[in-house]
């Protein structure tokens, strides 16, 4: 049986078919609900001229005692930041970080509520002992300011 | 979209947000169609929007915006996929690595009868057509021409015309409607 030809203009039936394809894929593989809020969060806090790092790796690990950790690596043109996110007993979150190449710099963790501040040591290591769960973004004042995409703690 | 784009280019945050909401689903499916897991696809989509922040001045029309977004997302997803395939997972004595994403197989998610039927039909199409139609389904009609090149289709294959893939799908649907139960669907 001959169907509609490839060179014909897109018609109303095509629109219905594509609508059904969209509906099917929305059911089979929906975009996560939190993705747009994550993006808006990152954009809202972006300062002009900052470079955004990109997530280059993610791992989840289970420790011997059953605690869970997330490792995320952020990569930029001149700097790499590795963070290790773990839960504290009081439901806050601990972040351990490493900056490569090692540098002693100011590091900020921006959340909706406030900005937490610390510095890395000469080895590039930094930590935030207890921060709340929620969307956050790291900002490193390396030679020029760099920022990560937003992550969920 | 044209007015929205102009407002976004001049820095209106609400317009930027609306464009993000409007076009992210399309980019999600571009990234996933490249074979990325859900977390990586989300990262790639977020990364595309962050890159856009410094590229607004290069983009002069809604078609150019869609084209730019799809291109950046597709290339980035391909790059991530390639680097993941080569990555050696480090294993240590005291930790075990959990696969960070255990997606439910898509077949399990497609439960409604209507979706299942279309799902089965689409699986009969060539892979490239399946991918193309998945992304086209999330794109507005005027943008088809803009993204056809980025999606690897011959220029003019998709545009104001329906193209080979959509024609194929229509034919399969016609055949099934004629040969199977008559339920009035095209």
């Amino acid at each position: 049986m001959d169907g509609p030809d490839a060179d014909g203009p897109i018609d109303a039936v095509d629109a219905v078919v594509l609508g059904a394809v969209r509906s099917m894929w929305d059911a089979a593989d929906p975009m996560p609900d939190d993705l747009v809020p994550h993006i808006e969060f990152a954009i809202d806090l972006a300062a002009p001229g900052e470079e955004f790092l990109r997530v280059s790796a993610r791992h989840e690990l289970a420790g011997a005692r059953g605690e869970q950790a997330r490792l995320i690596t952020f990569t930029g043109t001149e700097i790499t930041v590795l963070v290790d996110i773990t839960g504290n007993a009081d439901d806050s979150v601990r972040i351990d970080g490493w900056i490569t190449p090692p540098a002693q710099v100011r590091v900020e963790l921006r959340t909706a509520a406030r900005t937490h501040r610390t510095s890395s040591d000469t080895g590039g290591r930094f930590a935030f002992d207890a921060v709340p769960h929620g969307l956050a973004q790291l900002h490193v004042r390396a030679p020029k300011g760099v920022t990560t995409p937003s992550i969920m703690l | 979209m044209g007015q929205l784009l102009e407002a976004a280019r001049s820095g209106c945050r609400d317009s930027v947000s609306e464009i993000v909401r409007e076009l992210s689903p399309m980019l999600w499916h571009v990234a996933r169609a490249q074979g990325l897991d859900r977390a990586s696809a989300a990262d790639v989509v977020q990364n595309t929007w962050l890159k856009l922040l410094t590229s607004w001045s290069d983009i002069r029309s809604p078609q150019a915006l869609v084209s730019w977004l799809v291109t950046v997302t597709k290339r980035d997803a391909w790059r991530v996929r390639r680097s993941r395939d080569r990555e050696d997972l480090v294993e240590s004595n005291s930790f075990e690595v959990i696969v960070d994403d255990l997606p439910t197989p898509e077949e399990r998610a497609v439960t409604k009868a209507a979706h299942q039927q279309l799902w089965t039909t689409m699986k009969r199409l060539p892979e490239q057509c399946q991918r193309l139609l998945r992304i086209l389904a999330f794109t507005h009609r005027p943008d088809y021409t803009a993204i056809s090149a980025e999606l690897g289709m011959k220029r003019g294959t998709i545009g104001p015309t329906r193209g080979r893939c959509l024609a194929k799908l229509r034919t399969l649907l016609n055949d099934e409607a004629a040969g199977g139960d008559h339920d009035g669907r095209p």
Side-chain angles (χ1 to χ4, degrees), chain A residues 4-11 13-14 18 23-25 28-30 32 40 43-44 54-55 58-60 62 68 149-150, chain B residues 13 17 21 28-29 32 38 43 46-47 50 76 79-80 89 95-96 98 110 115 134 144 160-163 167 170-171:
Chain A
D5 67 275
D7 298 323
I10 290 187
D11 61 19
V13 176
D14 292 316
L18 284 173
S23 176
M24 181 191 78
W25 275 110
D29 186 26
E40 288 176 334
I43 289 175
D44 279 347
R54 46 153 322 114
V55 174
R58 285 179 183 268
H59 294 292
E60 292 202 10
Q68 279 223 291
S150 57
Chain B
R13 289 271 203 226
S17 285
R21 275 194 296 274
W28 168 256
H29 287 280
R32 288 282 280 166
R38 288 177 68 84
D43 288 337
Q46 180 168 180
N47 196 54
L50 295 179
D76 213 26
R79 199 160 60 82
V80 168
L89 293 176
F95 290 100
E96 61 180 13
I98 306 172
V110 180
H115 292 317
R134 176 179 184 176
Y144 290 164
T161 55
R162 88 179 34 93
R170 291 275 305 265
T171 302

Short mmCIF file of all heavy atoms in Angstrom, two decimals, chain A residues 4-11 13-14 18 23-25 28-30 32 40 43-44 54-55 58-60 62 68 149-150, chain B residues 13 17 21 28-29 32 38 43 46-47 50 76 79-80 89 95-96 98 110 115 134 144 160-163 167 170-171:
data_model
loop_
_atom_site.label_atom_id
_atom_site.label_comp_id
_atom_site.label_asym_id
_atom_site.label_seq_id
_atom_site.Cartn_x
_atom_site.Cartn_y
_atom_site.Cartn_z
N PRO A 4 1.75 8.26 2.26
CA PRO A 4 2.04 9.64 1.84
C PRO A 4 3.50 9.75 1.40
O PRO A 4 4.36 9.08 1.94
CB PRO A 4 1.76 10.47 3.09
CG PRO A 4 1.84 9.50 4.21
CD PRO A 4 1.44 8.18 3.70
N ASP A 5 3.77 10.62 0.42
CA ASP A 5 5.13 10.63 -0.11
C ASP A 5 6.03 11.56 0.70
O ASP A 5 5.57 12.48 1.37
CB ASP A 5 5.13 11.05 -1.59
CG ASP A 5 4.68 12.50 -1.75
OD1 ASP A 5 3.46 12.73 -1.81
OD2 ASP A 5 5.56 13.39 -1.78
N ALA A 6 7.33 11.31 0.60
CA ALA A 6 8.31 12.04 1.41
C ALA A 6 8.39 13.51 1.01
O ALA A 6 8.75 14.37 1.82
CB ALA A 6 9.69 11.39 1.27
N ASP A 7 8.08 13.81 -0.24
CA ASP A 7 8.23 15.20 -0.70
C ASP A 7 6.99 16.04 -0.47
O ASP A 7 7.00 17.24 -0.74
CB ASP A 7 8.56 15.20 -2.21
CG ASP A 7 9.88 14.49 -2.48
OD1 ASP A 7 10.78 14.63 -1.64
OD2 ASP A 7 9.99 13.80 -3.51
N GLY A 8 5.93 15.40 0.01
CA GLY A 8 4.72 16.17 0.25
C GLY A 8 4.88 17.08 1.46
O GLY A 8 5.71 16.84 2.32
N PRO A 9 4.08 18.13 1.53
CA PRO A 9 4.16 19.02 2.69
C PRO A 9 3.64 18.33 3.94
O PRO A 9 2.77 17.46 3.85
CB PRO A 9 3.27 20.21 2.30
CG PRO A 9 2.33 19.65 1.30
CD PRO A 9 3.03 18.54 0.58
N ILE A 10 4.14 18.77 5.07
CA ILE A 10 3.66 18.24 6.35
C ILE A 10 2.21 18.68 6.54
O ILE A 10 1.88 19.85 6.39
CB ILE A 10 4.55 18.75 7.49
CG1 ILE A 10 5.91 18.08 7.39
CG2 ILE A 10 3.90 18.48 8.84
CD1 ILE A 10 6.84 18.36 8.55
N ASP A 11 1.37 17.68 6.84
CA ASP A 11 -0.06 18.00 6.95
C ASP A 11 -0.56 17.75 8.38
O ASP A 11 0.21 17.41 9.27
CB ASP A 11 -0.86 17.21 5.91
CG ASP A 11 -0.73 15.70 6.13
OD1 ASP A 11 -0.34 15.28 7.23
OD2 ASP A 11 -1.01 14.95 5.18
N VAL A 13 -2.34 15.37 9.54
CA VAL A 13 -2.17 13.99 10.01
C VAL A 13 -0.75 13.78 10.54
O VAL A 13 -0.53 13.13 11.56
CB VAL A 13 -2.49 12.97 8.88
CG1 VAL A 13 -2.21 11.56 9.36
CG2 VAL A 13 -3.94 13.13 8.44
N ASP A 14 0.23 14.36 9.81
CA ASP A 14 1.62 14.28 10.30
C ASP A 14 1.73 14.88 11.69
O ASP A 14 2.43 14.35 12.56
CB ASP A 14 2.56 15.05 9.37
CG ASP A 14 2.70 14.39 8.02
OD1 ASP A 14 2.85 13.15 7.97
OD2 ASP A 14 2.67 15.13 7.02
N LEU A 18 3.11 12.96 14.90
CA LEU A 18 4.25 13.44 15.69
C LEU A 18 3.84 13.73 17.13
O LEU A 18 4.62 13.53 18.06
CB LEU A 18 4.86 14.69 15.04
CG LEU A 18 5.70 14.40 13.80
CD1 LEU A 18 6.12 15.71 13.13
CD2 LEU A 18 6.95 13.59 14.15
N SER A 23 4.13 12.10 22.78
CA SER A 23 3.44 11.59 23.97
C SER A 23 4.05 10.26 24.42
O SER A 23 4.24 10.00 25.61
CB SER A 23 1.95 11.45 23.62
OG SER A 23 1.26 10.88 24.68
N MET A 24 4.38 9.43 23.45
CA MET A 24 4.99 8.13 23.75
C MET A 24 6.35 8.30 24.43
O MET A 24 6.65 7.65 25.44
CB MET A 24 5.14 7.35 22.45
CG MET A 24 5.73 5.98 22.64
SD MET A 24 6.16 5.26 21.04
CE MET A 24 7.69 6.12 20.67
N TRP A 25 7.17 9.18 23.89
CA TRP A 25 8.49 9.36 24.46
C TRP A 25 8.43 10.08 25.81
O TRP A 25 9.27 9.84 26.68
CB TRP A 25 9.41 10.12 23.49
CG TRP A 25 10.05 9.21 22.51
CD1 TRP A 25 9.81 9.11 21.16
CD2 TRP A 25 11.03 8.21 22.80
NE1 TRP A 25 10.58 8.13 20.61
CE2 TRP A 25 11.33 7.56 21.58
CE3 TRP A 25 11.68 7.81 23.97
CZ2 TRP A 25 12.26 6.53 21.51
CZ3 TRP A 25 12.61 6.78 23.90
CH2 TRP A 25 12.90 6.16 22.67
N ALA A 28 7.80 7.16 28.00
CA ALA A 28 8.89 6.18 28.08
C ALA A 28 10.15 6.75 28.71
O ALA A 28 10.87 6.04 29.41
CB ALA A 28 9.22 5.67 26.67
N ASP A 29 10.42 8.02 28.49
CA ASP A 29 11.69 8.59 28.91
C ASP A 29 11.52 10.07 29.22
O ASP A 29 12.03 10.92 28.49
CB ASP A 29 12.74 8.39 27.81
CG ASP A 29 14.12 8.84 28.25
OD1 ASP A 29 14.39 8.83 29.47
OD2 ASP A 29 14.94 9.20 27.37
N PRO A 30 10.81 10.39 30.28
CA PRO A 30 10.54 11.80 30.55
C PRO A 30 11.79 12.54 31.01
O PRO A 30 12.65 11.99 31.69
CB PRO A 30 9.50 11.75 31.69
CG PRO A 30 9.72 10.43 32.34
CD PRO A 30 10.21 9.49 31.28
N PRO A 32 13.78 14.68 33.44
CA PRO A 32 13.61 14.79 34.90
C PRO A 32 12.98 16.13 35.28
O PRO A 32 13.32 17.15 34.71
CB PRO A 32 15.04 14.70 35.44
CG PRO A 32 15.87 14.17 34.34
CD PRO A 32 15.19 14.48 33.06
N GLU A 40 17.93 26.75 35.77
CA GLU A 40 17.57 28.12 36.16
C GLU A 40 18.39 28.58 37.36
O GLU A 40 18.81 29.73 37.43
CB GLU A 40 16.07 28.19 36.47
CG GLU A 40 15.22 28.10 35.21
CD GLU A 40 13.73 28.07 35.49
OE1 GLU A 40 13.34 27.64 36.59
OE2 GLU A 40 12.97 28.49 34.61
N ILE A 43 21.85 29.51 36.10
CA ILE A 43 21.82 30.74 35.31
C ILE A 43 21.62 31.95 36.22
O ILE A 43 22.26 32.99 36.05
CB ILE A 43 20.70 30.67 34.25
CG1 ILE A 43 21.09 29.68 33.15
CG2 ILE A 43 20.45 32.04 33.64
CD1 ILE A 43 19.99 29.45 32.13
N ASP A 44 20.75 31.80 37.22
CA ASP A 44 20.46 32.92 38.11
C ASP A 44 21.70 33.41 38.84
O ASP A 44 21.86 34.59 39.09
CB ASP A 44 19.40 32.53 39.15
CG ASP A 44 18.00 32.60 38.56
OD1 ASP A 44 17.85 33.19 37.47
OD2 ASP A 44 17.07 32.07 39.18
N ARG A 54 32.40 21.91 33.41
CA ARG A 54 31.42 20.91 33.00
C ARG A 54 31.64 19.64 33.82
O ARG A 54 32.77 19.34 34.21
CB ARG A 54 31.53 20.62 31.51
CG ARG A 54 32.93 20.40 31.02
CD ARG A 54 33.05 19.52 29.81
NE ARG A 54 32.12 18.45 29.84
CZ ARG A 54 31.12 18.37 28.96
NH1 ARG A 54 31.00 19.25 28.00
NH2 ARG A 54 30.25 17.39 29.05
N VAL A 55 30.57 18.92 34.02
CA VAL A 55 30.69 17.65 34.73
C VAL A 55 31.36 16.66 33.78
O VAL A 55 30.87 16.42 32.68
CB VAL A 55 29.31 17.10 35.14
CG1 VAL A 55 29.45 15.72 35.73
CG2 VAL A 55 28.65 18.04 36.13
N ARG A 58 30.94 11.17 37.03
CA ARG A 58 30.16 11.00 38.24
C ARG A 58 30.30 9.56 38.70
O ARG A 58 30.25 8.64 37.88
CB ARG A 58 28.66 11.21 37.98
CG ARG A 58 28.22 12.63 37.79
CD ARG A 58 26.73 12.66 37.52
NE ARG A 58 26.25 14.00 37.27
CZ ARG A 58 25.77 14.82 38.20
NH1 ARG A 58 25.71 14.44 39.44
NH2 ARG A 58 25.35 16.03 37.88
N HIS A 59 30.49 9.39 39.98
CA HIS A 59 30.50 8.03 40.53
C HIS A 59 29.74 8.01 41.84
O HIS A 59 29.79 8.97 42.60
CB HIS A 59 31.94 7.56 40.81
CG HIS A 59 32.75 7.40 39.57
ND1 HIS A 59 32.51 6.43 38.64
CD2 HIS A 59 33.81 8.10 39.11
CE1 HIS A 59 33.39 6.54 37.66
NE2 HIS A 59 34.19 7.53 37.91
N GLU A 60 29.08 6.92 42.07
CA GLU A 60 28.50 6.72 43.40
C GLU A 60 29.19 5.55 44.05
O GLU A 60 29.40 4.52 43.42
CB GLU A 60 27.00 6.45 43.31
CG GLU A 60 26.25 7.65 42.84
CD GLU A 60 24.78 7.63 43.23
OE1 GLU A 60 24.37 6.77 44.02
OE2 GLU A 60 24.06 8.47 42.72
N ALA A 62 29.64 3.04 47.62
CA ALA A 62 29.15 2.61 48.92
C ALA A 62 30.35 2.26 49.78
O ALA A 62 31.21 1.51 49.37
CB ALA A 62 28.25 1.39 48.78
N GLN A 68 27.04 6.40 51.96
CA GLN A 68 27.09 6.63 50.52
C GLN A 68 27.86 7.89 50.21
O GLN A 68 27.77 8.88 50.95
CB GLN A 68 25.66 6.78 49.99
CG GLN A 68 25.01 5.43 49.78
CD GLN A 68 24.25 5.36 48.49
OE1 GLN A 68 23.23 6.00 48.36
NE2 GLN A 68 24.76 4.61 47.54
N PRO A 149 28.28 23.87 37.22
CA PRO A 149 26.83 23.79 37.06
C PRO A 149 26.19 23.49 38.41
O PRO A 149 26.90 23.13 39.36
CB PRO A 149 26.63 22.59 36.11
CG PRO A 149 27.97 22.29 35.56
CD PRO A 149 28.98 22.79 36.53
N SER A 150 24.90 23.63 38.52
CA SER A 150 24.29 23.37 39.82
C SER A 150 24.20 21.86 40.04
O SER A 150 24.04 21.07 39.12
CB SER A 150 22.91 24.01 39.92
OG SER A 150 22.09 23.56 38.90
N ARG B 13 15.61 37.86 32.34
CA ARG B 13 15.75 36.53 32.96
C ARG B 13 14.52 35.68 32.73
O ARG B 13 14.61 34.48 32.50
CB ARG B 13 15.97 36.67 34.48
CG ARG B 13 17.32 37.22 34.87
CD ARG B 13 18.34 36.10 35.02
NE ARG B 13 19.45 36.53 35.90
CZ ARG B 13 20.72 36.35 35.64
NH1 ARG B 13 21.09 35.74 34.55
NH2 ARG B 13 21.62 36.76 36.49
N SER B 17 14.34 32.00 31.06
CA SER B 17 13.72 30.84 31.72
C SER B 17 12.68 30.19 30.84
O SER B 17 12.59 28.96 30.77
CB SER B 17 13.05 31.28 33.02
OG SER B 17 14.02 31.50 34.00
N ARG B 21 12.62 26.37 29.47
CA ARG B 21 11.51 25.42 29.71
C ARG B 21 10.97 24.87 28.40
O ARG B 21 10.65 23.68 28.29
CB ARG B 21 10.37 26.14 30.47
CG ARG B 21 10.56 26.16 31.96
CD ARG B 21 9.27 26.55 32.67
NE ARG B 21 8.85 27.90 32.34
CZ ARG B 21 9.28 29.00 32.98
NH1 ARG B 21 10.14 28.89 33.97
NH2 ARG B 21 8.85 30.19 32.63
N TRP B 28 16.82 17.17 25.77
CA TRP B 28 16.88 15.93 26.56
C TRP B 28 16.87 14.73 25.63
O TRP B 28 17.68 13.81 25.75
CB TRP B 28 15.70 15.89 27.53
CG TRP B 28 15.50 14.56 28.19
CD1 TRP B 28 14.55 13.62 27.90
CD2 TRP B 28 16.26 14.02 29.28
NE1 TRP B 28 14.68 12.53 28.72
CE2 TRP B 28 15.72 12.75 29.58
CE3 TRP B 28 17.35 14.48 30.03
CZ2 TRP B 28 16.22 11.93 30.59
CZ3 TRP B 28 17.85 13.67 31.03
CH2 TRP B 28 17.30 12.41 31.31
N HIS B 29 15.97 14.74 24.67
CA HIS B 29 15.85 13.60 23.78
C HIS B 29 16.99 13.52 22.79
O HIS B 29 17.38 12.43 22.36
CB HIS B 29 14.48 13.59 23.11
CG HIS B 29 13.38 13.20 24.07
ND1 HIS B 29 13.14 11.88 24.37
CD2 HIS B 29 12.54 13.94 24.80
CE1 HIS B 29 12.17 11.83 25.28
NE2 HIS B 29 11.79 13.07 25.56
N ARG B 32 19.66 11.87 24.98
CA ARG B 32 19.34 10.46 25.27
C ARG B 32 19.42 9.61 24.02
O ARG B 32 19.82 8.44 24.08
CB ARG B 32 17.95 10.37 25.89
CG ARG B 32 17.91 10.90 27.31
CD ARG B 32 18.48 9.90 28.29
NE ARG B 32 17.50 8.88 28.61
CZ ARG B 32 17.78 7.73 29.21
NH1 ARG B 32 19.03 7.44 29.54
NH2 ARG B 32 16.83 6.86 29.47
N ARG B 38 20.75 8.78 32.08
CA ARG B 38 19.94 9.94 32.47
C ARG B 38 20.78 11.05 33.13
O ARG B 38 20.63 12.23 32.82
CB ARG B 38 18.80 9.52 33.39
CG ARG B 38 17.70 8.75 32.65
CD ARG B 38 16.60 8.26 33.58
NE ARG B 38 15.79 9.32 34.14
CZ ARG B 38 14.74 9.88 33.53
NH1 ARG B 38 14.40 9.48 32.33
NH2 ARG B 38 14.06 10.84 34.13
N ASP B 43 23.39 16.45 32.56
CA ASP B 43 24.59 17.29 32.60
C ASP B 43 24.82 17.96 31.26
O ASP B 43 25.17 19.14 31.18
CB ASP B 43 25.84 16.46 32.94
CG ASP B 43 25.85 16.02 34.40
OD1 ASP B 43 25.19 16.68 35.23
OD2 ASP B 43 26.53 15.01 34.71
N GLN B 46 22.29 20.75 30.69
CA GLN B 46 22.60 21.91 31.51
C GLN B 46 23.82 22.64 30.92
O GLN B 46 23.84 23.87 30.82
CB GLN B 46 22.86 21.51 32.96
CG GLN B 46 23.19 22.72 33.82
CD GLN B 46 23.20 22.49 35.32
OE1 GLN B 46 23.45 23.41 36.05
NE2 GLN B 46 22.94 21.29 35.79
N ASN B 47 24.81 21.87 30.52
CA ASN B 47 26.03 22.45 29.96
C ASN B 47 25.74 23.25 28.70
O ASN B 47 26.35 24.31 28.46
CB ASN B 47 27.01 21.32 29.65
CG ASN B 47 28.40 21.84 29.44
OD1 ASN B 47 28.94 22.54 30.27
ND2 ASN B 47 28.98 21.53 28.31
N LEU B 50 24.35 26.60 29.69
CA LEU B 50 25.38 27.47 30.27
C LEU B 50 26.30 28.02 29.19
O LEU B 50 26.74 29.17 29.27
CB LEU B 50 26.18 26.70 31.33
CG LEU B 50 25.36 26.26 32.56
CD1 LEU B 50 26.24 25.47 33.53
CD2 LEU B 50 24.75 27.45 33.27
N ASP B 76 28.28 17.41 22.17
CA ASP B 76 28.69 17.21 23.54
C ASP B 76 28.33 15.79 24.00
O ASP B 76 29.12 15.11 24.66
CB ASP B 76 28.00 18.24 24.43
CG ASP B 76 28.86 18.64 25.59
OD1 ASP B 76 30.09 18.54 25.47
OD2 ASP B 76 28.30 19.03 26.64
N ARG B 79 30.68 13.32 22.54
CA ARG B 79 31.97 13.38 23.19
C ARG B 79 31.94 12.68 24.55
O ARG B 79 32.85 11.92 24.91
CB ARG B 79 32.38 14.85 23.37
CG ARG B 79 33.87 15.05 23.61
CD ARG B 79 34.26 16.48 23.27
NE ARG B 79 33.54 17.45 24.08
CZ ARG B 79 33.90 17.78 25.32
NH1 ARG B 79 34.93 17.21 25.88
NH2 ARG B 79 33.18 18.67 25.97
N VAL B 80 30.89 12.91 25.31
CA VAL B 80 30.74 12.27 26.62
C VAL B 80 30.64 10.76 26.45
O VAL B 80 31.26 9.99 27.18
CB VAL B 80 29.50 12.82 27.35
CG1 VAL B 80 29.17 11.98 28.57
CG2 VAL B 80 29.72 14.27 27.75
N LEU B 89 37.09 2.27 35.38
CA LEU B 89 36.59 2.53 36.72
C LEU B 89 37.59 2.04 37.74
O LEU B 89 38.03 0.91 37.70
CB LEU B 89 35.24 1.83 36.93
CG LEU B 89 34.10 2.38 36.07
CD1 LEU B 89 32.83 1.57 36.28
CD2 LEU B 89 33.85 3.84 36.42
N PHE B 95 35.76 0.11 48.92
CA PHE B 95 34.52 0.61 48.33
C PHE B 95 34.10 -0.30 47.19
O PHE B 95 34.91 -0.93 46.56
CB PHE B 95 34.72 2.02 47.75
CG PHE B 95 34.91 3.06 48.78
CD1 PHE B 95 36.18 3.52 49.09
CD2 PHE B 95 33.83 3.59 49.45
CE1 PHE B 95 36.36 4.50 50.04
CE2 PHE B 95 34.01 4.57 50.41
CZ PHE B 95 35.28 5.02 50.70
N GLU B 96 32.83 -0.36 46.96
CA GLU B 96 32.39 -1.00 45.73
C GLU B 96 31.66 0.05 44.90
O GLU B 96 30.95 0.89 45.42
CB GLU B 96 31.49 -2.20 46.02
CG GLU B 96 30.23 -1.85 46.76
CD GLU B 96 29.37 -3.07 47.03
OE1 GLU B 96 29.87 -4.19 46.87
OE2 GLU B 96 28.21 -2.89 47.39
N ILE B 98 28.95 1.43 42.63
CA ILE B 98 27.57 1.18 42.21
C ILE B 98 27.37 1.85 40.86
O ILE B 98 27.77 2.98 40.68
CB ILE B 98 26.56 1.78 43.20
CG1 ILE B 98 26.83 1.30 44.62
CG2 ILE B 98 25.14 1.44 42.79
CD1 ILE B 98 25.96 2.03 45.64
N VAL B 110 6.57 1.95 29.11
CA VAL B 110 5.52 2.18 28.12
C VAL B 110 4.37 1.23 28.40
O VAL B 110 4.34 0.12 27.90
CB VAL B 110 6.08 1.96 26.69
CG1 VAL B 110 5.00 2.20 25.67
CG2 VAL B 110 7.25 2.89 26.44
N HIS B 115 0.50 3.65 23.48
CA HIS B 115 1.93 3.87 23.36
C HIS B 115 2.63 2.60 22.91
O HIS B 115 3.54 2.63 22.09
CB HIS B 115 2.53 4.31 24.69
CG HIS B 115 2.10 5.67 25.12
ND1 HIS B 115 2.04 6.73 24.27
CD2 HIS B 115 1.75 6.14 26.34
CE1 HIS B 115 1.64 7.80 24.92
NE2 HIS B 115 1.46 7.48 26.19
N ARG B 134 12.08 10.92 16.92
CA ARG B 134 12.01 11.21 18.36
C ARG B 134 12.31 12.68 18.62
O ARG B 134 11.62 13.32 19.41
CB ARG B 134 13.03 10.33 19.08
CG ARG B 134 13.14 10.61 20.57
CD ARG B 134 14.16 9.68 21.21
NE ARG B 134 14.21 9.87 22.65
CZ ARG B 134 14.97 9.14 23.48
NH1 ARG B 134 15.72 8.18 22.99
NH2 ARG B 134 14.94 9.40 24.76
N TYR B 144 12.19 22.60 11.65
CA TYR B 144 12.64 21.35 11.04
C TYR B 144 13.82 21.57 10.09
O TYR B 144 14.79 20.86 10.11
CB TYR B 144 11.51 20.68 10.24
CG TYR B 144 10.39 20.12 11.07
CD1 TYR B 144 9.17 19.81 10.50
CD2 TYR B 144 10.53 19.91 12.44
CE1 TYR B 144 8.13 19.30 11.24
CE2 TYR B 144 9.50 19.40 13.19
CZ TYR B 144 8.30 19.10 12.59
OH TYR B 144 7.27 18.59 13.33
N PRO B 160 9.84 21.89 5.02
CA PRO B 160 8.39 22.00 4.94
C PRO B 160 7.80 20.67 4.47
O PRO B 160 6.60 20.45 4.58
CB PRO B 160 8.15 23.11 3.91
CG PRO B 160 9.41 23.21 3.14
CD PRO B 160 10.51 22.75 4.04
N THR B 161 8.65 19.77 3.92
CA THR B 161 8.15 18.47 3.49
C THR B 161 8.29 17.46 4.62
O THR B 161 9.08 17.65 5.53
CB THR B 161 8.94 17.94 2.28
OG1 THR B 161 10.33 17.94 2.63
CG2 THR B 161 8.74 18.84 1.09
N ARG B 162 7.57 16.35 4.50
CA ARG B 162 7.53 15.43 5.63
C ARG B 162 8.78 14.56 5.70
O ARG B 162 9.16 14.10 6.74
CB ARG B 162 6.23 14.64 5.63
CG ARG B 162 6.20 13.36 4.87
CD ARG B 162 4.86 12.62 4.95
NE ARG B 162 3.67 13.42 5.03
CZ ARG B 162 2.92 13.81 4.00
NH1 ARG B 162 3.29 13.51 2.79
NH2 ARG B 162 1.82 14.52 4.20
N GLY B 163 9.42 14.29 4.59
CA GLY B 163 10.67 13.53 4.67
C GLY B 163 10.46 12.04 4.66
O GLY B 163 9.36 11.52 4.91
N ALA B 167 7.36 9.71 6.32
CA ALA B 167 6.58 9.01 5.29
C ALA B 167 6.56 7.51 5.58
O ALA B 167 5.52 6.84 5.48
CB ALA B 167 7.15 9.29 3.91
N ARG B 170 4.26 6.81 8.49
CA ARG B 170 2.86 6.90 8.05
C ARG B 170 2.46 5.65 7.30
O ARG B 170 1.36 5.12 7.46
CB ARG B 170 2.67 8.14 7.16
CG ARG B 170 2.80 9.48 7.87
CD ARG B 170 1.49 9.89 8.50
NE ARG B 170 0.39 9.92 7.55
CZ ARG B 170 -0.02 11.00 6.89
NH1 ARG B 170 0.59 12.16 7.04
NH2 ARG B 170 -1.05 10.92 6.06
N THR B 171 3.33 5.16 6.44
CA THR B 171 3.03 3.96 5.65
C THR B 171 2.83 2.75 6.57
O THR B 171 1.88 1.98 6.40
CB THR B 171 4.17 3.68 4.65
OG1 THR B 171 4.32 4.80 3.80
CG2 THR B 171 3.85 2.44 3.80
#
